[in-house]
Amino acid sequence: MATEKPTASLEKIKDFLNSQINDEATWAFNMKLLRALGLFCGSIFIMRNFGDLMAI
């Protein structure tokens, strides 16, 4: 019955991901965003696990 709808949305997702990866300007922005997110999450992890060692 509704087999066409999920494949259409899957194709839209694939097109979106390809447009984000294959375009150089968009990829550069996405890499900056991923690095910032990784640094943020890494700093939260470090402070939660080793924050007591940094206390004065």
Side-chain angles (χ1 to χ4, degrees):
M1 280 192 203
T3 59
E4 196 170 318
K5 213 173 207 181
T7 57
S9 63
L10 187 61
E11 288 299 320
K12 286 181 183 179
I13 292 172
K14 284 182 182 179
D15 291 340
F16 175 73
L17 289 176
N18 284 334
S19 71
Q20 294 296 308
I21 292 171
N22 294 330
D23 184 22
E24 277 191 40
T26 310
W27 180 247
F29 175 74
N30 288 339
M31 280 306 295
K32 288 180 185 176
L33 193 62
L34 285 172
R35 283 187 191 127
L37 184 64
L39 183 65
F40 181 74
C41 291
S43 64
I44 289 175
F45 176 78
I46 294 291
M47 288 304 289
R48 281 184 163 256
N49 290 315
F50 305 108
D52 55 341
L53 297 176
M54 296 179 199
I56 295 176

